[in-house]
Tab-separated table of all heavy atoms in Angstrom:
chain	number	residue	atom	x	y	z
A	16	GLN	N	87.709	80.015	-70.832
A	16	GLN	CA	87.048	80.844	-69.822
A	16	GLN	C	85.532	80.704	-69.929
A	16	GLN	O	84.831	80.602	-68.921
A	16	GLN	CB	87.455	82.307	-69.990
A	16	GLN	CG	86.828	83.226	-68.947
A	16	GLN	CD	87.357	84.647	-69.045
A	16	GLN	OE1	88.291	84.934	-69.786
A	16	GLN	NE2	86.751	85.543	-68.282
A	17	TRP	N	85.039	80.698	-71.157
A	17	TRP	CA	83.596	80.517	-71.380
A	17	TRP	C	83.152	79.117	-70.969
A	17	TRP	O	82.041	78.925	-70.467
A	17	TRP	CB	83.289	80.758	-72.853
A	17	TRP	CG	81.879	80.428	-73.238
A	17	TRP	CD1	80.775	81.200	-73.051
A	17	TRP	CD2	81.430	79.208	-73.844
A	17	TRP	NE1	79.657	80.546	-73.515
A	17	TRP	CE2	80.024	79.324	-74.007
A	17	TRP	CE3	82.063	78.047	-74.265
A	17	TRP	CZ2	79.260	78.306	-74.571
A	17	TRP	CZ3	81.306	77.034	-74.822
A	17	TRP	CH2	79.921	77.164	-74.978
A	18	LEU	N	84.032	78.136	-71.158
A	18	LEU	CA	83.692	76.742	-70.902
A	18	LEU	C	83.698	76.385	-69.418
A	18	LEU	O	83.005	75.462	-68.993
A	18	LEU	CB	84.691	75.840	-71.646
A	18	LEU	CG	84.318	74.369	-71.859
A	18	LEU	CD1	83.090	74.257	-72.749
A	18	LEU	CD2	85.506	73.612	-72.471
A	19	THR	N	84.452	77.106	-68.615
A	19	THR	CA	84.627	76.768	-67.201
A	19	THR	C	83.349	77.021	-66.406
A	19	THR	O	82.755	78.101	-66.500
A	19	THR	CB	85.770	77.604	-66.588
A	19	THR	OG1	86.968	77.374	-67.336
A	19	THR	CG2	86.004	77.208	-65.134
A	20	PRO	N	82.903	76.051	-65.597
A	20	PRO	CA	81.711	76.251	-64.756
A	20	PRO	C	81.884	77.441	-63.816
A	20	PRO	O	82.985	77.702	-63.324
A	20	PRO	CB	81.621	74.933	-63.970
A	20	PRO	CG	82.329	73.929	-64.816
A	20	PRO	CD	83.433	74.675	-65.479
A	21	SER	N	80.797	78.138	-63.572
A	21	SER	CA	80.854	79.372	-62.785
A	21	SER	C	81.320	79.136	-61.359
A	21	SER	O	82.005	79.984	-60.772
A	21	SER	CB	79.481	80.037	-62.779
A	21	SER	OG	78.490	79.155	-62.246
A	22	GLY	N	80.960	77.997	-60.783
A	22	GLY	CA	81.371	77.714	-59.410
A	22	GLY	C	82.869	77.598	-59.283
A	22	GLY	O	83.481	78.146	-58.351
A	23	LEU	N	83.490	76.897	-60.228
A	23	LEU	CA	84.942	76.729	-60.198
A	23	LEU	C	85.649	78.055	-60.415
A	23	LEU	O	86.603	78.395	-59.695
A	23	LEU	CB	85.372	75.724	-61.271
A	23	LEU	CG	86.845	75.324	-61.250
A	23	LEU	CD1	87.121	74.394	-60.088
A	23	LEU	CD2	87.257	74.658	-62.557
A	24	ALA	N	85.189	78.820	-61.388
A	24	ALA	CA	85.805	80.121	-61.670
A	24	ALA	C	85.689	81.053	-60.464
A	24	ALA	O	86.640	81.771	-60.129
A	24	ALA	CB	85.145	80.754	-62.892
A	25	SER	N	84.544	81.038	-59.801
A	25	SER	CA	84.345	81.900	-58.633
A	25	SER	C	85.267	81.513	-57.487
A	25	SER	O	85.809	82.379	-56.785
A	25	SER	CB	82.886	81.822	-58.167
A	25	SER	OG	82.002	82.262	-59.180
A	26	LEU	N	85.476	80.212	-57.294
A	26	LEU	CA	86.363	79.738	-56.225
A	26	LEU	C	87.796	80.182	-56.483
A	26	LEU	O	88.472	80.697	-55.578
A	26	LEU	CB	86.285	78.221	-56.114
A	26	LEU	CG	87.219	77.572	-55.072
A	26	LEU	CD1	86.902	78.079	-53.670
A	26	LEU	CD2	87.123	76.055	-55.139
A	27	TYR	N	88.263	80.002	-57.698
A	27	TYR	CA	89.635	80.405	-58.034
A	27	TYR	C	89.792	81.925	-57.966
A	27	TYR	O	90.851	82.430	-57.577
A	27	TYR	CB	90.015	79.884	-59.418
A	27	TYR	CG	90.553	78.472	-59.410
A	27	TYR	CD1	89.698	77.380	-59.354
A	27	TYR	CD2	91.921	78.232	-59.439
A	27	TYR	CE1	90.189	76.077	-59.340
A	27	TYR	CE2	92.426	76.942	-59.432
A	27	TYR	CZ	91.555	75.869	-59.382
A	27	TYR	OH	92.054	74.584	-59.360
A	28	LYS	N	88.767	82.640	-58.346
A	28	LYS	CA	88.824	84.101	-58.265
A	28	LYS	C	88.905	84.558	-56.815
A	28	LYS	O	89.663	85.479	-56.484
A	28	LYS	CB	87.596	84.721	-58.932
A	28	LYS	CG	87.634	86.238	-58.994
A	28	LYS	CD	86.444	86.790	-59.768
A	28	LYS	CE	86.534	88.306	-59.875
A	28	LYS	NZ	85.395	88.875	-60.665
A	29	LEU	N	88.153	83.885	-55.946
A	29	LEU	CA	88.200	84.211	-54.521
A	29	LEU	C	89.593	83.978	-53.960
A	29	LEU	O	90.103	84.788	-53.174
A	29	LEU	CB	87.168	83.358	-53.768
A	29	LEU	CG	87.125	83.534	-52.249
A	29	LEU	CD1	86.729	84.965	-51.888
A	29	LEU	CD2	86.144	82.542	-51.623
A	30	MET	N	90.220	82.866	-54.365
A	30	MET	CA	91.570	82.567	-53.886
A	30	MET	C	92.578	83.603	-54.376
A	30	MET	O	93.494	83.987	-53.641
A	30	MET	CB	91.982	81.171	-54.344
A	30	MET	CG	91.234	80.041	-53.685
A	30	MET	SD	91.456	79.993	-51.871
A	30	MET	CE	89.862	80.653	-51.335
A	31	SER	N	92.399	84.057	-55.617
A	31	SER	CA	93.322	85.073	-56.135
A	31	SER	C	93.168	86.393	-55.383
A	31	SER	O	94.131	87.144	-55.229
A	31	SER	CB	93.079	85.288	-57.632
A	31	SER	OG	91.821	85.911	-57.873
A	32	MET	N	91.974	86.651	-54.896
A	32	MET	CA	91.723	87.880	-54.137
A	32	MET	C	92.430	87.870	-52.788
A	32	MET	O	92.737	88.923	-52.234
A	32	MET	CB	90.221	88.082	-53.947
A	32	MET	CG	89.475	88.404	-55.239
A	32	MET	SD	87.665	88.438	-55.040
A	32	MET	CE	87.460	89.790	-53.895
A	33	VAL	N	92.690	86.677	-52.255
A	33	VAL	CA	93.410	86.584	-50.973
A	33	VAL	C	94.893	86.308	-51.182
A	33	VAL	O	95.611	86.012	-50.231
A	33	VAL	CB	92.786	85.492	-50.068
A	33	VAL	CG1	91.351	85.824	-49.735
A	33	VAL	CG2	92.885	84.117	-50.719
A	34	GLY	N	95.342	86.390	-52.437
A	34	GLY	CA	96.770	86.304	-52.712
A	34	GLY	C	97.287	84.959	-53.169
A	34	GLY	O	98.502	84.758	-53.250
A	35	ILE	N	96.395	83.999	-53.461
A	35	ILE	CA	96.829	82.678	-53.933
A	35	ILE	C	96.505	82.579	-55.418
A	35	ILE	O	95.333	82.531	-55.790
A	35	ILE	CB	96.128	81.543	-53.167
A	35	ILE	CG1	96.330	81.703	-51.654
A	35	ILE	CG2	96.652	80.181	-53.620
A	35	ILE	CD1	95.566	80.684	-50.829
A	36	ASN	N	97.540	82.554	-56.258
A	36	ASN	CA	97.265	82.516	-57.692
A	36	ASN	C	96.731	81.161	-58.123
A	36	ASN	O	96.831	80.177	-57.401
A	36	ASN	CB	98.499	82.925	-58.513
A	36	ASN	CG	99.587	81.875	-58.494
A	36	ASN	OD1	99.384	80.716	-58.847
A	36	ASN	ND2	100.787	82.293	-58.089
A	37	ALA	N	96.189	81.107	-59.320
A	37	ALA	CA	95.462	79.929	-59.785
A	37	ALA	C	96.332	78.682	-59.848
A	37	ALA	O	95.878	77.578	-59.517
A	37	ALA	CB	94.856	80.213	-61.160
A	38	ILE	N	97.588	78.821	-60.267
A	38	ILE	CA	98.461	77.662	-60.411
A	38	ILE	C	98.774	77.041	-59.052
A	38	ILE	O	98.728	75.814	-58.887
A	38	ILE	CB	99.766	78.046	-61.138
A	38	ILE	CG1	99.457	78.641	-62.512
A	38	ILE	CG2	100.670	76.824	-61.282
A	38	ILE	CD1	98.706	77.720	-63.434
A	39	VAL	N	99.090	77.869	-58.083
A	39	VAL	CA	99.399	77.365	-56.737
A	39	VAL	C	98.162	76.730	-56.107
A	39	VAL	O	98.230	75.636	-55.535
A	39	VAL	CB	99.936	78.496	-55.834
A	39	VAL	CG1	100.116	78.004	-54.402
A	39	VAL	CG2	101.258	79.027	-56.383
A	40	PHE	N	97.036	77.409	-56.210
A	40	PHE	CA	95.801	76.860	-55.635
A	40	PHE	C	95.420	75.552	-56.304
A	40	PHE	O	94.916	74.632	-55.657
A	40	PHE	CB	94.672	77.875	-55.776
A	40	PHE	CG	93.382	77.414	-55.169
A	40	PHE	CD1	93.267	77.226	-53.808
A	40	PHE	CD2	92.267	77.158	-55.969
A	40	PHE	CE1	92.078	76.784	-53.237
A	40	PHE	CE2	91.082	76.727	-55.414
A	40	PHE	CZ	90.979	76.538	-54.043
A	41	ASN	N	95.676	75.465	-57.608
A	41	ASN	CA	95.374	74.242	-58.341
A	41	ASN	C	96.151	73.045	-57.800
A	41	ASN	O	95.681	71.907	-57.859
A	41	ASN	CB	95.700	74.444	-59.828
A	41	ASN	CG	95.518	73.196	-60.645
A	41	ASN	OD1	96.492	72.538	-61.010
A	41	ASN	ND2	94.279	72.837	-60.913
A	42	LYS	N	97.344	73.292	-57.260
A	42	LYS	CA	98.154	72.215	-56.704
A	42	LYS	C	97.763	71.876	-55.267
A	42	LYS	O	98.080	70.794	-54.772
A	42	LYS	CB	99.636	72.592	-56.753
A	42	LYS	CG	100.173	72.773	-58.169
A	42	LYS	CD	101.634	73.179	-58.168
A	42	LYS	CE	102.152	73.351	-59.599
A	42	LYS	NZ	103.605	73.703	-59.625
A	43	LEU	N	97.074	72.788	-54.611
A	43	LEU	CA	96.689	72.583	-53.211
A	43	LEU	C	95.277	72.031	-53.050
A	43	LEU	O	95.014	71.245	-52.133
A	43	LEU	CB	96.809	73.896	-52.436
A	43	LEU	CG	98.208	74.492	-52.288
A	43	LEU	CD1	98.136	75.853	-51.614
A	43	LEU	CD2	99.109	73.559	-51.483
A	44	VAL	N	94.376	72.429	-53.937
A	44	VAL	CA	92.970	72.067	-53.772
A	44	VAL	C	92.719	70.565	-53.809
A	44	VAL	O	91.799	70.075	-53.123
A	44	VAL	CB	92.091	72.812	-54.804
A	44	VAL	CG1	92.304	72.278	-56.204
A	44	VAL	CG2	90.620	72.730	-54.422
A	45	PRO	N	93.493	69.738	-54.553
A	45	PRO	CA	93.232	68.299	-54.527
A	45	PRO	C	93.356	67.673	-53.144
A	45	PRO	O	92.692	66.668	-52.862
A	45	PRO	CB	94.292	67.728	-55.483
A	45	PRO	CG	94.570	68.838	-56.436
A	45	PRO	CD	94.501	70.069	-55.595
A	46	ILE	N	94.165	68.260	-52.275
A	46	ILE	CA	94.302	67.727	-50.913
A	46	ILE	C	92.972	67.833	-50.178
A	46	ILE	O	92.507	66.873	-49.552
A	46	ILE	CB	95.391	68.499	-50.144
A	46	ILE	CG1	96.709	68.445	-50.897
A	46	ILE	CG2	95.554	67.938	-48.734
A	46	ILE	CD1	97.771	69.353	-50.322
A	47	ALA	N	92.355	69.020	-50.260
A	47	ALA	CA	91.057	69.219	-49.610
A	47	ALA	C	89.990	68.339	-50.244
A	47	ALA	O	89.168	67.733	-49.534
A	47	ALA	CB	90.652	70.691	-49.701
A	48	LEU	N	90.014	68.232	-51.560
A	48	LEU	CA	89.025	67.392	-52.254
A	48	LEU	C	89.171	65.931	-51.848
A	48	LEU	O	88.175	65.224	-51.659
A	48	LEU	CB	89.187	67.531	-53.767
A	48	LEU	CG	88.950	68.924	-54.361
A	48	LEU	CD1	89.176	68.905	-55.861
A	48	LEU	CD2	87.543	69.410	-54.033
A	49	GLY	N	90.415	65.466	-51.708
A	49	GLY	CA	90.651	64.087	-51.296
A	49	GLY	C	90.173	63.816	-49.885
A	49	GLY	O	89.562	62.778	-49.614
A	50	LEU	N	90.427	64.757	-48.985
A	50	LEU	CA	89.987	64.589	-47.589
A	50	LEU	C	88.463	64.588	-47.482
A	50	LEU	O	87.885	63.749	-46.782
A	50	LEU	CB	90.573	65.703	-46.721
A	50	LEU	CG	92.048	65.576	-46.353
A	50	LEU	CD1	92.532	66.848	-45.658
A	50	LEU	CD2	92.272	64.364	-45.438
A	51	ILE	N	87.813	65.512	-48.169
A	51	ILE	CA	86.350	65.575	-48.123
A	51	ILE	C	85.740	64.314	-48.728
A	51	ILE	O	84.767	63.759	-48.205
A	51	ILE	CB	85.849	66.831	-48.856
A	51	ILE	CG1	86.337	68.088	-48.140
A	51	ILE	CG2	84.324	66.836	-48.931
A	51	ILE	CD1	86.059	69.372	-48.898
A	52	SER	N	86.318	63.850	-49.836
A	52	SER	CA	85.833	62.614	-50.463
A	52	SER	C	85.967	61.436	-49.514
A	52	SER	O	85.060	60.594	-49.419
A	52	SER	CB	86.617	62.335	-51.748
A	52	SER	OG	86.451	63.360	-52.692
């Protein structure tokens, strides 16, 4: 938790606030990252 960059932690926290837990979001976010790349 201490090691994780603040931007990443904030993004995952935001997703958990809208009902998407970290594990599920972790499996979905690479799709968006791949498209943007």
